Amino acid sequence: MADNHTLPPAVRALAEADFSAVANRFAQAGFSVSQPADGILTIRSKQAGKPAVLVSVGVHGDETGPIELVAYLLDALAQEPHKLAVDLMLCVGNIGAIRQAKRFIDADLNRMFRAERGTLAGTAEAARADVMIAATSEFFAHAGKERWHLDLHTAIRPSVYPTFAIVPDLIADEAKQQLIGWLGEAAIGAIIMNPASAGTYSYYSAEHHAAAGTTIELGRIGTLGQNDLSQFEEAKVALNRLLRGLPPAKAAKEAHVFKVARNIIKLSDNFKMAFGKETQNFTALKKGEEIARDGDTVYTVQHDEELVVFPNPDVRIGLRAGMMVTRVK
Ligand SMILES: O=C(O)CCC(=O)N[C@@H](CCC(=O)O)C(=O)O
Ligand SMILES: [Zn+2]
């Protein structure tokens, strides 16, 4: 982590998963506040029927922008706690990796939210995912119909759309439309509709807890305390609006919509991508162009146009090394 002494106190506290100041304020204002595990805080109203909102940050330890954004927002909300209009679960994901300013310690935490973990079982992140799953299940077990999970990330490499979201297809229609409306308010540039889980946290919440769950990419990885949050002002305003139960605002932007055509899975150590790993997200490839090869398997573009997202040859064998998407609108 950056030199913590120079960080604004609210940012330092959230990055260290120290909820004490915030927890006290909401508890004093009459909310039921609990910390079911390290890095997890729930704040519930004593009145039933509020929307349930899970906000997660730091699922990858080097993705620091969302930690800053949520820290400032939560700090401001804690000054007027009675304005919180939802039941809130806040999850700081990979606490150990945040401390070390690394994506993960042993393995990618955002691939652990699946029934079969194979070679990922036994890692530090498998244990952390179990803790997060238990707390998430408990949180949504008490929830009414309106359920959200906003899992805030940042991308490793540049992107044609600096902000974008991955939305599980299986979310029920009404909730999906509400989520897409919210992503518009947040000025998210592109939405990728995803038909199948890659073991991610937001897909898990959507599939198992009927949440309007999404992974949101806000810019690129950077040093804690040094992110330019002005690029995500609309996202901050939209999140603030949701937590305070204010009426939806007009979309700041209509997102470009894509759908996942195929996940490129790394099959062996022979996996080689046809382009550099700095290739920006949403780079377009034409039918027949090579994407990657892995021994005898050659991945080529099947549609007239496919765009590559998250190209990463360095993932473990068996995991997604890239996502090919096609344009819907
Ligand atoms: O930029 C990258 O290569 C990774 C950024 C990131 O962590 N993205 C998430 C997306 C999760 C999803 O598909 O919903 C991830 O790969 O875990
Ligand atoms: Zn991430």
Side-chain angles (χ1 to χ4, degrees):
M1 200 186 287
D3 175 8
N4 274 3
H5 300 292
T6 61
L7 289 171
V11 173
R12 187 176 65 216
L14 191 62
E16 291 177 353
D18 169 6
F19 297 124
S20 49
V22 168
N24 282 340
R25 285 192 173 267
F26 284 101
Q28 277 163 17
F31 289 85
S32 304
V33 178
S34 86
Q35 293 186 48
D38 264 5
I40 300 179
L41 176 73
T42 61
I43 307 170
R44 288 197 183 91
S45 162
K46 290 188 176 142
Q47 278 167 268
K50 304 268 180 195
V53 179
L54 162 55
V55 177
S56 46
V57 295
V59 165
H60 293 125
D62 56 354
E63 298 180 0
T64 56
I67 298 177
E68 289 182 48
L69 184 151
V70 170
Y72 292 124
L73 196 148
L74 195 68
D75 187 49
L77 192 55
Q79 312 300 320
E80 34 183 9
H82 54 283
K83 295 273 173 75
L84 177 68
V86 302
D87 288 339
L88 177 64
M89 171 170 157
L90 184 63
C91 175
V92 181
N94 201 332
I95 309 168
I98 295 171
R99 229 173 268 136
Q100 297 182 34
K102 284 168 50 173
R103 185 168 173 82
F104 52 76
I105 307 282
D106 295 332
D108 192 333
L109 175 58
N110 213 23
R111 299 294 177 273
M112 299 291 174
F113 297 86
R114 58 176 102 202
E116 290 302 319
R117 292 193 180 135
T119 60
L120 305 176
T123 58
E125 279 78 8
R128 178 62 179 157
D130 287 341
V131 169
M132 288 163 63
I133 287 171
T136 305
S137 303
E138 166 67 14
F139 178 65
F140 284 123
H142 298 281
K145 200 167 164 277
E146 189 174 341
R147 299 161 177 223
W148 297 72
H149 178 189
L150 305 174
D151 185 25
L152 307 182
H153 287 242
T154 68
I156 296 172
R157 55 196 62 73
S159 178
V160 172
Y161 307 104
T163 60
F164 60 99
I166 300 101
V167 173
D169 258 335
L170 54 66
I171 300 172
D173 281 343
E174 198 185 325
K176 199 191 288 178
Q177 285 322 313
Q178 246 186 328
L179 173 60
I180 290 172
W182 184 87
L183 291 168
E185 276 181 58
I188 298 303
I191 294 174
I192 301 171
M193 299 307 304
N194 182 19
S197 176
T200 64
Y201 189 23
S202 66
Y203 200 103
Y204 160 80
S205 300
E207 186 174 14
H208 295 280
H209 301 294
T214 180
T215 309
I216 305 176
E217 305 288 345
L218 297 172
R220 292 186 63 192
I221 45 180
T223 306
L224 191 66
Q226 293 175 25
N227 292 289
D228 172 11
L229 297 185
S230 66
Q231 310 166 72
F232 317 118
E233 184 55 26
E234 290 97 337
K236 185 173 165 192
V237 169
L239 182 53
N240 196 38
R241 197 278 295 156
L242 181 68
L243 299 184
R244 291 171 186 246
L246 303 171
K250 237 181 110 227
K253 203 180 223 175
E254 199 177 334
H256 295 255
V257 182
F258 299 87
K259 68 176 180 195
V260 177
R262 184 158 55 138
N263 286 312
I264 304 299
I265 306 298
K266 178 168 171 174
L267 303 173
S268 76
D269 283 328
N270 296 322
F271 182 87
K272 293 256 166 345
M273 263 177 6
F275 33 79
K277 60 182 176 188
E278 273 306 308
T279 301
Q280 66 173 351
N281 288 322
F282 298 95
T283 295
L285 302 177
K286 295 218 161 6
K287 191 169 188 165
E289 275 191 75
E290 184 173 322
I291 303 163
R293 59 177 61 218
D294 201 341
D296 292 340
T297 307
V298 181
Y299 295 100
T300 55
V301 174
Q302 306 291 302
H303 298 82
D304 287 344
E305 181 192 66
E306 292 178 14
L307 305 93
V308 61
V309 182
F310 304 140
N312 188 352
D314 301 330
V315 298
R316 281 191 182 215
I317 292 170
L319 295 187
R320 178 177 83 191
M323 200 187 227
M324 302 307 294
V325 304
T326 53
R327 189 178 289 276
V328 177
K329 73 170 178 135

